[in-house]
Amino acid sequence: MSDDLRNEVEAINSIYGEGTLHRTTDVCIYVLSIPSHPVSIRVAFPPTYPDDPPSVAGVESTGWGTRKGYGTDVLELAQRILGDVYTPTWVCLYELIQELETQLRVYDNEEQKEGRTAASKGRLENVAEREVQEPASENAHVQQRDRDRLGLGLPPCQVPQWHLSRPLTEKKSTFVARACYVRSPIMVREAMAHVLSTEKKMAKATHNISAYRIRDPNKVGVTYQDCDDDGESAAGGRLLHLLQIMDVWDVLVVVSRWYGGVKLGPDRFRLINQVGKEAVIEGGWCKRTV
């Protein structure tokens, strides 16, 4: 097992719970239990991962009471998402899990609302395509559905698009950062409320440290910036200082830490800023050379 894969397995199990990702008798194949969903899949890793991509090899199991064909649909969806999120030399399982959870949540909610217990093969793909193709203004039904997803009454255009860092694990503590575009302090509050209400694992993190910098689009020379330690003393100020050094604006960065029981001392600030910087770069606010 490569160091990259070993660290990724430790990070995934730290965030989602022990046993979420575990190795089979075949050293190259792992079983991934999809959080909050009654299905697990087999993922095969080549010895050269992450230089070369993993593959979704099949369905390990589905829970009792799932409809016929559910596992097959999830398998096809996972294979397609993996092809989208994989980038050579970068680990990708966290992004795979996040996207799978998002699309399966939409799918399951639609089935419940429509009162159906069965669906035709390929429906998952149609749901994913509608996410992209349906304009927010198409009709009132679509708009209401999007509001229902939020659970906050926010219009679809204000659903934040998050850019994620890779999980980073150090002495059993795991750090993940996400960044999104914001134009006002109100948008900051809405983005935080939305992500904490929809991302259960993030809501259960030990700390969610945040910082933002904004230029007012309607008032020349007016800016806003603030930070929140969320119990990790002085971490928010250091994260804000990072944004100042990088000279980035109109961005909110949130770093989640799941504490592993071993104190990291001052080194935790380096790790927080490391994943925070990566999320900012992934979102395109700053180049990788910075």
Side-chain angles (χ1 to χ4, degrees):
M1 182 194 302
S2 69
D3 289 340
D4 285 324
L5 179 55
R6 183 179 296 105
N7 291 336
E8 186 171 30
V9 171
E10 186 175 346
I12 294 298
N13 287 332
S14 175
I15 295 171
Y16 292 100
E18 199 63 35
T20 300
L21 183 65
H22 65 272
R23 191 169 65 185
T24 66
T25 54
D26 187 330
V27 296
C28 295
I29 296 180
Y30 283 72
V31 173
L32 171 63
S33 298
I34 301 173
S36 305
H37 295 279
V39 61
S40 58
I41 57 178
R42 296 191 300 274
V43 184
F45 296 89
T48 51
Y49 175 78
D51 293 335
D52 293 303
S55 61
V56 180
V59 175
E60 178 71 10
S61 65
T62 56
W64 180 85
T66 55
R67 65 170 178 78
K68 184 178 180 180
Y70 182 78
T72 301
D73 285 349
V74 173
L75 174 64
E76 293 176 354
L77 178 64
Q79 290 171 335
R80 187 174 67 253
I81 291 175
L82 183 59
D84 292 338
V85 301
Y86 171 74
T87 301
T89 75
W90 286 66
V91 296
C92 62
L93 279 189
Y94 183 71
E95 288 82 359
L96 171 64
I97 294 172
Q98 288 274 294
E99 191 61 26
L100 264 174
E101 282 194 293
T102 298
Q103 295 199 24
L104 285 174
R105 189 183 305 120
V106 173
Y107 172 69
D108 291 345
N109 286 343
E110 286 197 346
E111 278 211 329
Q112 290 175 6
K113 288 180 181 179
E114 295 167 3
R116 289 200 293 262
T117 58
S120 61
K121 183 179 179 180
R123 172 142 177 246
L124 284 172
E125 181 173 0
N126 293 335
V127 170
E129 289 175 354
R130 287 201 299 273
E131 290 266 291
V132 176
Q133 294 174 357
E134 287 180 341
S137 60
E138 182 178 342
N139 54 54
H141 172 72
V142 171
Q143 291 181 356
Q144 185 59 50
R145 187 198 66 191
D146 288 341
R147 290 187 177 92
D148 290 342
R149 289 179 199 165
L150 289 174
L152 297 171
L154 301 178
C157 62
Q158 291 186 17
V159 179
Q161 180 182 358
W162 295 98
H163 302 272
L164 302 178
S165 73
R166 293 172 291 181
L168 177 62
T169 299
E170 183 80 14
K171 296 180 180 179
K172 297 185 179 181
S173 280
T174 298
F175 301 81
V176 174
R178 63 190 71 217
C180 75
Y181 173 79
V182 288
R183 294 305 302 271
S184 72
I186 292 177
M187 284 186 67
V188 171
R189 292 193 293 272
E190 290 175 344
M192 288 296 297
H194 174 254
V195 73
L196 289 172
S197 67
T198 57
E199 299 292 342
K200 294 181 180 178
K201 292 300 177 181
M202 179 181 173
K204 293 180 180 179
T206 312
H207 308 287
N208 285 303
I209 304 116
S210 61
Y212 67 85
R213 299 184 80 209
I214 299 169
R215 285 189 177 122
D216 193 311
N218 301 314
K219 300 176 182 178
V220 177
V222 176
T223 61
Y224 310 95
Q225 59 181 20
D226 202 355
C227 59
D228 183 2
D229 295 336
D230 194 33
E232 186 71 279
S233 182
R238 292 172 184 254
L239 185 60
L240 177 58
H241 184 57
L242 171 69
L243 301 183
Q244 293 167 341
I245 292 174
M246 297 179 76
D247 193 27
V248 293
W249 292 93
D250 302 327
V251 61
L252 164 66
V253 179
V254 185
V255 177
S256 301
R257 179 189 180 184
W258 291 264
Y259 179 60
V262 179
K263 293 183 177 180
L264 299 178
D267 202 37
R268 68 189 187 278
F269 299 124
R270 174 184 62 83
L271 299 169
I272 290 168
N273 278 9
Q274 182 176 333
V275 294
K277 178 179 178 180
E278 184 176 309
V280 170
I281 292 173
E282 283 301 301
W285 284 275
C286 188
K287 297 180 179 178
R288 291 189 181 275
T289 53
V290 174

